[in-house]
Amino acid sequence: MRHFLTLADFSKDEILEIIDLAVKIKKQTKMGEKVPYMENKTLAMIFEKSSTRTRVSFEVGIYQLGGVGLFLSSSDLQIGRGEPIKDTSRVISSMCDMVMIRTYEHEKLEEFAKYSKVPVINGLTDSYHPVQLVTDYLTMLEFGKGENSVVAYVGDGNNMAHSWLMLSAILGLELRVATPKGYECDSKIVERALELAKSSGAKIIFTNEPKEAVEGADVVTTDTWISMGQEAEKEKRVKDFKGFMVDKELFSLAKDDAIFLHCLPAYRGWEVSEELFEEQSKVIFQEAENRLHAQKGIMVWLDSKRGEVE
Ligand code: CP
Ligand code: NVA
């Protein structure tokens, strides 16, 4: 049995296998074919944070696969009143076939997975957002980008930046990460990515200068400066991130056919300008729709590994 907690637990072949599955199921769904790969299976979805895309894509995804999703808000669960994670895990995983969790500390997700009898999927933690990266790579491929592409991440050294690090390190991409001083990626995660990059040949560089990252890039991406849970730091962050907005001027340094990705929600006038966002909206909303297809690929892949001994 396998969990989907961070991309670091996956080989390049496995990530590409999941993406191939997502592409296949997307095609079948678009052609109006039924995709009952998880008939009568149940997916528990535990949310400790807000969500639009993750919730809708997992719930619609499991339904289209022939199963059913249970939306479980932590404020309604006993977990919100102090029931231990390990007990919640043992109970829910005895009744459901798969669990998706969106929470704060990554360790909570790991604790849940440790006690779970069924595959657990990371629907975002403070450290990683791996399901988004499967989507982003799928979207890159659809727009003619791939292993030889240079990706520039401009913004906060947060869960999205960490997930880009892992994806690039495993697939062997060139990634340039530009963060303001004091908002760099977590050093342990960087260390892990650089270790993985040694065998894949990935080229990863870090800078505090957005232009340096974007120059000649094939893909430019960013994320909110204020992640869920950081609302109290809003005023300080908006000041500290001055100069890090991806606008048309900065984007013009990228290749002529470059694309702009954003996991959403986007805050125009902060991490991205209104003008660039609207100009790139075809890519951005295809990326958002791809959450549905990527989710199905991930769930079907994990389900196929249920009986396997590692
Ligand atoms: N990108 C993303 O995960 O969106 P939600 O927070 O709406 O799920
Ligand atoms: N970094 C953001 C991603 C939202 C999808 C957050 O954690 O809030």
Side-chain angles (χ1 to χ4, degrees):
M1 183 181 83
R2 296 286 294 275
H3 297 299
F4 195 86
L5 307 186
T6 102
L7 294 176
D9 304 331
F10 291 82
S11 67
K12 175 175 180 172
D13 285 350
E14 286 173 335
I15 294 174
L16 296 179
E17 226 175 88
I18 292 171
I19 289 179
D20 280 350
L21 252 179
V23 169
K24 178 182 139 192
I25 300 172
K26 177 173 181 176
K27 214 176 276 169
Q28 289 176 308
T29 311
K30 293 272 179 196
M31 284 167 64
E33 284 176 32
K34 291 252 177 280
V35 286
Y37 299 113
M38 289 180 68
E39 206 149 30
N40 299 325
K41 301 258 166 111
T42 46
L43 172 75
M45 307 182 298
I46 302 173
F47 283 91
E48 281 204 292
K49 294 177 174 176
S50 307
S51 170
T52 297
R53 282 141 289 269
T54 305
R55 177 180 176 183
V56 176
S57 59
F58 271 105
E59 196 160 336
V60 173
I62 188 71
Y63 172 76
Q64 291 181 346
L65 292 171
V68 68
L70 285 84
F71 172 71
L72 304 167
S73 158
S74 62
S75 56
D76 299 326
L77 292 172
Q78 295 289 7
I79 213 170
R81 297 178 61 245
E83 183 167 16
I85 290 171
K86 58 183 179 181
D87 293 358
T88 308
S89 172
R90 285 179 281 195
V91 172
I92 292 182
S93 70
S94 72
M95 299 184 197
C96 297
D97 298 292
M98 209 169 273
V99 183
M100 186 242 82
I101 309 177
R102 169 168 284 198
T103 187
Y104 291 88
E105 299 87 355
H106 193 74
E107 296 69 31
K108 270 191 189 170
L109 175 81
E110 290 177 333
E111 167 92 348
F112 195 103
K114 187 173 159 196
Y115 288 92
S116 174
K117 299 184 210 37
V118 300
V120 175
I121 303 172
N122 180 356
L124 181 147
T125 62
D126 289 345
S127 307
Y128 296 106
H129 195 7
V131 292
Q132 179 70 50
L133 267 288
V134 172
T135 307
D136 289 2
Y137 196 64
L138 166 62
T139 311
M140 276 176 60
L141 293 173
E142 289 177 342
F143 282 91
K145 314 295 175 200
E147 279 179 29
N148 298 321
S149 300
V150 176
V151 180
Y153 176 93
V154 178
D156 192 14
N158 62 11
N159 44 12
M160 277 302 294
H162 294 157
S163 300
W164 273 108
L165 280 177
M166 289 308 169
L167 182 87
S168 309
I170 296 161
L171 298 189
L173 310 181
E174 178 170 343
L175 175 71
R176 305 171 189 162
V177 182
T179 54
K181 286 203 174 76
Y183 293 92
E184 286 88 359
C185 293
D186 180 280
S187 58
K188 282 212 175 74
I189 293 175
V190 169
E191 212 177 290
R192 182 127 190 241
L194 294 180
E195 195 53 46
L196 288 166
K198 278 187 201 156
S199 37
S200 70
K203 191 176 161 204
I204 301 176
I205 64 143
F206 299 93
T207 172
N208 298 120
E209 179 44 69
K211 285 184 185 153
E212 199 186 316
V214 174
E215 186 84 54
D218 298 279
V219 177
V220 180
T221 185
T222 183
D223 182 25
T224 180
W225 297 339
I226 301 133
S227 284
M228 289 179 274
Q230 297 173 335
E231 290 76 9
E233 299 168 33
K234 183 170 162 182
E235 213 175 309
K236 177 170 169 27
R237 284 179 166 262
V238 171
K239 270 194 212 129
D240 293 347
F241 279 80
K242 200 168 176 285
F244 277 76
M245 182 199 292
V246 184
D247 57 11
K248 282 190 74 170
E249 196 188 329
L250 182 61
F251 190 70
S252 71
L253 300 175
K255 287 209 183 111
D256 289 344
D257 65 348
I259 57 167
F260 174 76
L261 295 174
H262 196 309
C263 66
L264 304 178
Y267 299 88
R268 279 102 147 164
W270 288 1
E271 79 272 8
V272 60
S273 70
E274 167 78 21
E275 212 184 347
L276 180 69
F277 185 92
E278 288 305 330
E279 203 178 275
Q280 290 286 315
S281 58
K282 183 177 183 297
V283 184
I284 297 167
F285 289 104
Q286 190 162 317
E287 177 189 6
E289 184 199 311
N290 277 339
R291 287 296 303 274
L292 172 63
H293 310 298
Q295 257 49 293
K296 285 192 274 186
I298 293 166
M299 288 190 281
V300 172
W301 191 88
L302 288 174
D303 195 46
S304 74
K305 304 287 169 197
R306 284 279 306 266
E308 278 183 20
V309 180
E310 277 161 61

